[in-house]
Structures are given as structure tokens and as C-alpha cells.
């Protein structure tokens, strides 16, 4: 089982990659690592944050283990079928959508963070703007 570290503004969290449920997405995510980027508040989806991954090659990633309604801590990989490519991290009630409508992202990993930690991440991006994030193998 692959584990990742998500370092958000100096705070480190562990995520478990769902290799059996989303194998192609897991391989695509691993190919992006290490990823240094910006974590932003979602614009349309509710209590969540996202990382733009438009530079990654995701055109061959199929729909797998996909959902519109991720649970708190779920990490979705969206290969960009209707919108820009991204990793979405659900921090609370979330309906993944964009100006193009609802989007189904591939549930590729689960962030091991408490309800309060996820709320703090989401609130920080809403209040203070983008936050530095690094995603790497653990």
C-alpha cells in the first residue's frame, strides 16, 4: 500500500493511495511526484480545496472509482474531461462541480486528517488564499 505525505503550509498529513480501487489514477498520481504547487479553495464545490495539475499528462486516465460527492478526506483526481485537471481534497460537505456542471473525479486516495484539521485547511485557504503544498512519497 502506497502512502503519501501532503505538506500544507508546514503541516504534514498522510494519505493512503487506493491502488486497487483506482489503479490507473494511482499510477498517474505517482508519476506527478514530487509535486510542489499551490492549494486553493474551491470555487463551486463546497468545503474543499484543490491543486491545479494541468501540466500532468492525464489524457489516458479512465473514469474509475469516480464520484461527484466525495467524503471528508477523500482525494479525487480529475483528468480534465470538461474542466481543468486537478486534485480535489474534500474537507467537509462537497459536491464536485464547475461552471460546466457536476464533475465526477476518480477517488484515488484518502487523507488521514481529523475533521478539525480538514476544516482548518479549508478555512485557511478561504481566509488567507493559496497555501504552499508539497505531495511526495512517504
Amino acid at each position: 500500500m502506497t502512502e503519501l505525505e501532503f505538506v500544507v503550509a508546514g503541516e504534514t498529513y498522510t494519505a493512503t493511495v487506493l491502488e486497487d480501487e483506482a489503479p490507473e489514477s494511482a499510477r498517474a498520481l505517482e508519476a506527478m511526484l514530487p509535486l510542489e504547487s499551490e492549494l486553493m479553495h474551491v470555487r463551486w464545490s463546497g468545503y474543499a480545496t484543490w491543486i491545479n495539475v494541468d501540466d500532468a499528462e492525464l489524457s489516458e486516465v479512465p473514469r474509475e472509482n469516480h464520484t461527484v460527492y466525495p467524503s471528508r478526506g477523500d482525494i479525487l483526481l480529475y483528468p480534465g474531461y470538461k474542466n481543468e485537471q486537478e486534485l480535489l481534497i474534500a474537507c467537509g460537505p462537497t459536491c464536485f462541480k464547475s461552471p460546466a456542471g457536476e464533475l465526477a473525479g476518480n477517488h484515488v486516495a484518502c487523507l488521514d486528517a481529523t475533521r478539525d484539521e480538514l476544516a482548518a485547511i479549508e478555512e485557511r485557504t478561504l481566509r488567507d488564499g493559496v497555501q504552499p503544498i508539497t505531495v511526495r512519497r512517504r
Side-chain angles (χ1 to χ4, degrees):
M1 181 181 314
T2 301
E3 289 190 340
L4 304 177
E5 285 185 342
F6 280 64
V7 182
V8 181
E11 300 286 329
T12 302
Y13 306 92
T14 302
T16 302
V17 178
L18 304 175
E19 296 162 310
D20 292 338
E21 292 87 348
E24 296 296 321
S25 297
R27 280 191 280 282
L29 177 59
E30 190 159 331
M32 290 185 235
L33 302 179
L35 175 64
E36 292 190 25
S37 191
E38 295 177 325
L39 184 68
M40 298 166 269
H41 194 273
V42 296
R43 293 173 278 207
W44 303 91
S45 301
Y47 298 94
T49 58
W50 69 290
I51 304 166
N52 182 300
V53 292
D54 274 344
D55 291 340
E57 176 50 55
L58 301 177
S59 63
E60 299 298 318
V61 176
R63 289 183 190 264
E64 57 183 5
N65 200 32
H66 56 284
T67 184
V68 173
Y69 298 100
S71 296
R72 184 180 287 112
D74 288 354
I75 299 169
L76 305 184
L77 174 66
Y78 184 71
Y81 309 115
K82 293 183 182 179
N83 204 40
E84 56 205 334
Q85 298 179 162
E86 66 182 87
L87 287 172
L88 178 127
I89 303 169
C91 298
T94 301
C95 174
F96 187 26
K97 55 187 167 181
S98 75
E102 289 186 351
L103 305 172
N106 296 344
H107 182 198
V108 67
C110 295
L111 195 65
D112 183 22
T114 67
R115 175 186 298 244
D116 290 341
E117 289 170 330
L118 289 165
I121 292 169
E122 185 264 339
E123 289 169 8
R124 191 177 315 125
T125 60
L126 180 61
R127 181 188 62 233
D128 301 333
V130 298
Q131 300 293 306
I133 185 167
T134 301
V135 182
R136 59 184 176 232
R137 279 194 201 96
R138 183 162 189 234

